[in-house]
Amino acid sequence: MTPREQWIAYATIVIKEITRFMRIWQQTLVPPAISTLLYFVIFGSLIGKRIGQMDGFDYMDFLVPGLILMAVINASYQNVVGSFFGAKWGKSLEELLVSPTPNSIILLAYVTGGVARGLLVGLIVTGISLLFTDLNVFSIGILISVAVLTAILFALGGFINAIFAKTFDDVSMVPTFVLLPLTYLGGVFYSIHLLGDFWQQLSKANPILYMVNAFRYGFLGISDVSLSVSFAMIGFFIVCFFALSLYLLTHSKRLRA
Amino acid sequence: MEFALKTTQLSKTYGNGVTALQNVDLAVPQGDFYALLGPNGAGKSTVIGVLGSLVIKTSGRVEVFGVDIDNNFPQAKSFLGVVPQEFNFNIFETPLQIVRNQAGYYGIDRRTALARTEQYLTLLGLWEKRNDQAGQLSGGMKRRLMIARALVHEPRLLILDEPTAGVDIEIRRSMWDFLREINRSGTTIILTTHYLEEAEHLCRNIGIIDSGKLVENTSMRELLRQLHLETYVLDLEQPLATIPVGLDRAARLIDPTTLEIDIKQEEHLNDFYRLLSDNGIRVNSMRNKANRLEELFISRVGHSPLEGK
Ligand SMILES: Nc1ncnc2c1ncn2[C@@H]1O[C@H](COP(=O)(O)OP(=O)(O)OP(=O)(O)O)[C@@H](O)[C@H]1O
Ligand SMILES: [Mg+2]
């Protein structure tokens, strides 16, 4: 395929992916809006007033970045795992596999679809947070780059999950048993300075901590961890996940007999 | 001659140990209309799966219009349009989306894609249904949708895996006309079918595959020549010990009172009757042996095309 033909194939898949999640917006866009609304009401407004300050900021202001990023993580992951597994399960993936579209383009397009949903949900959640607090932006460049990179990483994660998954249960397994605990323990709700030494060190083994802190830095200008370590870590995982995804897409017995 | 499809010693053993193909050598000339026949589980869909990269071959070579799939699979795939045996589109999408997107996967720009989508959906009688959910189409419409989808990038080789399964007779006949027309305009077609009549009507060359092996690969004309031989089953009044001289070339004794005779087109039944009377053989009844092509199939494969194993 010529580069132009590859571009057309890429755009076709991306448009299809975006059309898909927009068509089922009640399942893709509304639930994260509702759940973050509840988080804001309960943790931000009701309990937050009693918590007072966290790292020198109102608890609500501390909480917002983490909740936005949590929504981005979930949305980008869910989009790719749902769509790609659905296509595999319903066999419509064969439409792509029999075509000359290179695997790298298929992967990039699915990831782009996941990033699109992740960022859209992130924007929706940001909009909702404005009902509760004024957001100060410390560095828009950092905010956008962390959001985009994190969305890419978790879209790739969803892709890998989809290739391995055999049933719809396998699709919800990782979000429930891996993503949820890692985000909850990843400094979304608290600063790791509140923890004892041991737990602080253990938390630092959680990659999501670095993303949440880097993202919070974009709003507040504070972080529990070094910013460059955060970017290096996200970049490292993206490279690994991309390579693994591409390998699986080409060789996995779960896609080709 | 350049072949549309050439496989050399193509073999496939699935992960579960099932050997679906063993050293299959197929050669389908450009412009051909080729039938791949064989009982259930013979390996027909496996061949097609290998071509579409849905099945990874274990060994052997596959060339599509001279392009070795091991060297440049994307290019080989760009020549192919595949209509699979099972429905494999997203049932929530519409025919319009399905066909237009498929064009996109072949790098066809959106404007051309839309024009072709209209062209092929119209040709297959689905343009009215373009905005319906694909899952809600009837079985025959779904199959035609898959044909439109396979044609939208105007492939040089169209492969259909049982395209007329579950399609009513009227639509089947119109599909035959349609496929013949596509073939006449230069597209090579390979189809698998269980309807021998279909192969006889449409195809120039034929391959019969059984238990993963190619057991027959010949032209339809050659095959039909072998069939220009009518077989009759005679029910005899008296048991017969041996076949009389003069009849032995054409007759077989199935059991002492059942005689089968082959009669070529240019021969006359009267001559046989005379031979029978001369030998004092009295015949109670006579019938024509069933479907000729089916007989031939059974002689190659050991059972009827509709029976699995
Ligand atoms: N994905 C698979 N994994 C394992 N075995 C398979 C797979 N697909 C097919 N087989 C086996 O390979 C053999 C050939 O199957 P194939 O589907 O190619 O037959 P076929 O000629 O198309 O039959 P049919 O007329 O029923 O469509 C069968 O024994 C089948 O069970
Ligand atoms: Mg089959």
Side-chain angles (χ1 to χ4, degrees), chain B residues 112-129:
Chain B
T112 314
L114 188 60
R116 295 246 192 107
T117 301
E118 176 168 358
Q119 180 190 345
Y120 286 103
L121 281 180
T122 306
L123 264 174
L124 284 144
L126 288 172
W127 184 243
E128 302 289 299
K129 299 274 180 188

Side-chain angles (χ1 to χ4, degrees), chain A residues 67-102:
Chain A
L67 286 182
I68 296 173
L69 199 68
M70 191 164 93
V72 171
I73 287 174
N74 281 326
S76 48
Y77 193 93
Q78 302 277 6
N79 196 66
V80 181
V81 75
S83 175
F84 197 77
F85 178 74
K88 178 174 106 169
W89 190 83
K91 289 190 179 320
S92 65
L93 184 63
E94 292 179 5
E95 294 177 336
L96 271 169
L97 297 184
V98 302
S99 83
T101 303

Side-chain angles (χ1 to χ4, degrees), chain B residues 44-45 85 161-162:
Chain B
K44 303 178 297 294
S45 297
Q85 183 170 6
D161 201 350
E162 295 186 35

